Amino acid sequence: MVTASNKSRKDEKVKLSSVLNAQNAQLIEAFVDMLWLEKGLSQNTVNAYRTDLSKFALFLQDERVDDMLNVESFQVSDYLAHRLTKKLSQRSTARFLSSARAFYRYQISLKACNKNPIDHVSNPKLPSYLPGTLSEAQVEALLDAPDLSDAVQLRDKAMLELLYATGMRVSELVNLQMHEIGMLQGVIRVTGKGGKERLVPMGEHATHWIKTYLKEARAQLMTKPSNTVFPSKRGLTMTRQTFWHRIKHYAKVAGINTHLSPHTMRHAFATHLLNHGADLRVVQMLLGHSDLSTTQIYTHVAKERLQSLVQEHHPRG
């Protein structure tokens, strides 16, 4: 199924590649192919690298620099200034610098060039970002929103319960396969970024609702054979965009006016675990973060909890 966002990304790729010179286009495609084949990065991540590097190459071509391998640090600085005039976000600029550093490191490893023009360019200072989340009461309201008499909404109920119980990404949820659910052991095998697998406990509530859904609703959605746990109404693998719209629908039903993102339930999972005393490294493993620094966006929760514990239990709190 071709979604509007997938089509726009494809159109942008065609548009960018059509105006790049052949040498730069070949360099970028060889690099992103390596990312996909050797690093196992997702297609969305690979597309982001391609877009960042293509836009940089186009800027260089406009500046009469036709070879991406012959770039100086001042030209990178000129491009950053250009991005500033376009009022592009600091976060997207930081992503470009990360993409470009990786590109030039790869070229150096191939001995295609002998210096990385990004090495002496500082990353922009990003504002501290705390992910939006929901209170425990709001999550309960969201989980209670689906109409359980309807097969599609019973499927959605099981998906929401599993999302909150495991903290998995929406993309991981919609691609979940039947053989990855261990009902007797109460765990699921989640395939995350880069094809990395992790085992995550489901908990009693999620296990109950998945069993109920499998028994009462899944067969009604299976218009064709599939190993997907949560097929769409057409019996196909659901897109993450489709389920994101389902989440927004149930938030409206539940009267939740808080800004939501596709990761809101994932953030709620991590935040509520820490609120109830979970260790940050345990949360890291459950979320599938390879680096603890990624999980540390949630440390503000742990700090708040520590402060409340001190105030409650210390004699001079």
Side-chain angles (χ1 to χ4, degrees):
M1 180 178 181
V2 179
T3 65
S5 59
N6 286 336
K7 185 178 185 301
S8 64
R9 282 196 296 269
K10 184 177 179 181
D11 291 345
E12 183 177 29
K13 175 185 173 182
V14 171
K15 180 181 177 182
L16 287 171
S17 61
S18 66
V19 290
L20 282 177
N21 68 44
Q23 178 184 353
N24 287 338
Q26 187 174 7
L27 286 170
I28 292 170
E29 286 306 312
F31 172 65
V32 297
D33 283 348
M34 180 277 298
L35 292 176
W36 183 70
L37 290 170
E38 297 182 19
K39 305 292 185 181
L41 299 184
S42 71
Q43 193 59 54
N44 286 336
T45 303
V46 169
N47 287 339
Y49 275 94
R50 177 188 288 112
T51 299
D52 286 341
L53 293 169
S54 297
K55 289 180 177 179
F56 179 49
L58 285 177
F59 171 81
L60 292 174
Q61 288 176 198
D62 289 342
E63 297 294 310
R64 306 272 195 259
V65 180
D66 293 326
D67 184 2
M68 288 183 73
L69 300 181
N70 187 25
V71 173
E72 301 294 336
S73 294
F74 77 86
Q75 290 162 325
V76 178
S77 298
D78 288 345
Y79 178 59
L80 297 184
H82 166 75
R83 291 180 63 87
L84 199 58
T85 62
K86 295 287 186 180
K87 297 184 178 178
L88 300 176
S89 74
Q90 296 286 70
R91 197 167 296 280
S92 68
T93 295
R95 191 191 73 180
F96 154 70
L97 288 171
S98 176
S99 299
R101 279 195 187 91
F103 172 79
Y104 283 108
R105 283 173 188 155
Y106 176 64
Q107 301 305 331
I108 290 171
S109 73
L110 297 178
K111 302 190 184 310
C113 64
N114 55 18
K115 63 182 177 181
N116 192 332
I118 313 295
D119 277 348
H120 301 295
V121 179
S122 300
N123 277 344
K125 187 173 181 180
L126 299 177
S128 59
Y129 168 71
L130 301 179
T133 188
L134 298 174
S135 69
E136 294 180 36
Q138 287 175 316
V139 169
E140 289 296 331
L142 185 65
L143 296 177
D144 289 340
D147 177 1
L148 303 182
S149 64
D150 177 77
V152 170
Q153 296 198 47
L154 181 53
R155 176 205 65 191
D156 294 346
K157 165 71 171 177
M159 294 179 79
L160 288 169
E161 289 281 357
L162 187 58
L163 203 60
Y164 181 53
T166 62
M168 62 198 306
R169 300 174 180 90
V170 171
S171 58
E172 296 167 345
L173 178 72
V174 297
N175 288 299
L176 192 65
Q177 303 295 296
M178 289 296 294
H179 66 273
E180 294 176 319
I181 300 180
M183 302 304 293
L184 294 177
Q185 296 81 16
V187 298
I188 58 171
R189 184 189 301 125
V190 179
T191 304
K193 291 184 176 181
K196 294 179 181 177
E197 294 185 348
R198 66 187 187 277
L199 293 177
V200 183
M202 290 188 287
E204 292 182 6
H205 286 284
T207 301
H208 165 75
W209 285 109
I210 289 177
K211 286 181 177 179
T212 302
Y213 154 73
L214 293 177
K215 181 181 178 181
E216 300 179 9
R218 185 172 182 269
Q220 299 180 46
L221 304 175
M222 297 302 296
T223 57
K224 57 184 67 178
S226 173
N227 196 38
T228 301
V229 178
F230 302 110
S232 69
K233 288 188 286 188
R234 297 181 180 178
L236 305 172
T237 299
M238 194 187 311
T239 65
R240 58 198 177 106
Q241 291 88 354
T242 296
F243 187 62
W244 163 228
H245 288 302
R246 303 295 294 170
I247 292 176
K248 290 199 292 185
H249 165 72
Y250 292 121
K252 186 176 181 180
V253 171
I256 298 171
N257 298 317
T258 306
H259 172 71
L260 299 178
S261 78
H263 273 345
T264 294
M265 292 292 275
R266 183 168 162 88
H267 298 324
F269 165 82
T271 301
H272 299 169
L273 272 180
L274 288 167
N275 274 340
H276 288 276
D279 181 83
L280 195 63
R281 287 198 176 274
V282 172
V283 176
Q284 174 196 358
M285 290 189 294
L286 293 174
L287 291 175
H289 288 163
S290 57
D291 193 333
L292 184 62
S293 63
T294 309
T295 320
Q296 284 174 338
I297 58 174
Y298 298 106
T299 53
H300 71 290
V301 177
K303 287 177 182 176
E304 289 175 4
R305 180 176 176 274
L306 286 174
Q307 288 171 353
S308 66
L309 285 174
V310 170
Q311 289 172 357
E312 182 178 354
H313 297 291
H314 194 279
R316 298 194 178 213

